[in-house]
Amino acid sequence: MTSPLPSSPAASVLDLAPVVPVVVVRDAADAVPLARALVAGGLPAIEVTLRTPAATDAIRAIAAEVPDAVVGAGTVITPAQVADSVAAGARFLVSPGWTDVLLDAMKASGLPFLPGVSTTSEVVALLERGVHEMKFFPAQAAGGTAYLKSLAGPLPQARFCPTGGIGPASAPDYLALPNVGCVGGSWMLPADAIAARDWGRVEALAREAAALRV
């Protein structure tokens, strides 16, 4: 993912904040206040996963109404989802894994993207294709910090956003690695806070997450 983000001082999603919230939106009406709370807490890069019928509408609303947010689409697994995400106003794309077809579609979108990897061979294959920034998923299950530390020596040109099983206790260990730009997680979005629309709590948890980088 090498293209600069529009209207952003950072050249990469990996450099916007130490944590990228991974958001599952079930009610599109929650998207804007949720995004505002995350941005106010210091987490401007927001990955809205395409796991619910409300996801595309949520991306569209955030893109239109929360100008300080850098909203992206996550769990992108088809070229059609790439096209829908671009049309909705997504500013970056994240996939849990990749194929040649999906990679070509993400490249053609013109947006920064993080294809998912969990093996050394997948990392090398992406480096061959000129992709240097990736999602490491599922991070904890795939080897965690020990695995990423092992990759830093032979593949220093690869940078990662580990996601999957990471919380506030483990995030600093990931963020301390030289090949990790940020982590993805959802711990700042507890289900009971979302259900109660307690955006103040979300903002407070986001602020704590934004301060995690060591």
Side-chain angles (χ1 to χ4, degrees):
M1 186 172 64
T2 56
S3 301
L5 289 166
S7 305
S8 168
S12 166
V13 172
L14 297 186
D15 300 319
L16 288 175
V19 180
V20 175
V22 179
V23 182
V24 179
V25 178
R26 304 193 184 283
D27 184 344
D30 292 338
V32 168
L34 177 64
R36 286 176 175 156
L38 292 171
V39 171
L43 301 181
I46 301 169
E47 176 188 337
V48 177
T49 66
L50 302 182
R51 302 180 193 175
T52 68
T56 302
D57 286 339
I59 292 170
R60 186 176 293 108
I62 294 169
E65 300 183 44
V66 192
D68 292 332
V70 179
V71 62
T75 321
V76 176
I77 58 174
T78 69
Q81 288 179 326
V82 171
D84 290 345
S85 299
V86 171
R91 292 173 63 184
F92 65 94
L93 306 170
V94 184
S95 67
W98 65 275
T99 65
D100 287 332
V101 171
L102 180 59
L103 189 68
D104 287 345
M106 290 193 293
K107 282 186 172 183
S109 74
L111 297 180
F113 59 92
L114 292 171
V117 298
S118 60
T119 70
T120 306
S121 295
E122 290 172 319
V123 176
V124 172
L126 286 175
L127 291 174
E128 285 183 352
R129 290 161 173 79
V131 179
H132 296 269
E133 297 186 347
M134 312 165 195
K135 172 178 177 174
F136 179 58
F137 177 82
Q140 288 290 92
T145 55
Y147 194 96
L148 287 171
K149 190 179 297 183
S150 298
L151 291 181
L155 301 171
Q157 63 273 52
R159 296 181 74 212
F160 301 94
C161 174
T163 305
I166 299 174
S170 58
D173 294 333
Y174 282 94
L175 293 168
L177 298 176
N179 55 352
V180 170
C182 63
V183 301
S186 57
W187 70 86
M188 73 296 301
L189 301 162
D192 58 340
I194 303 302
R197 293 178 167 83
D198 187 350
W199 310 126
R201 183 180 171 198
V202 171
E203 180 180 339
L205 291 171
R207 186 170 290 109
E208 293 174 3
L212 281 177
R213 189 180 298 279
V214 296

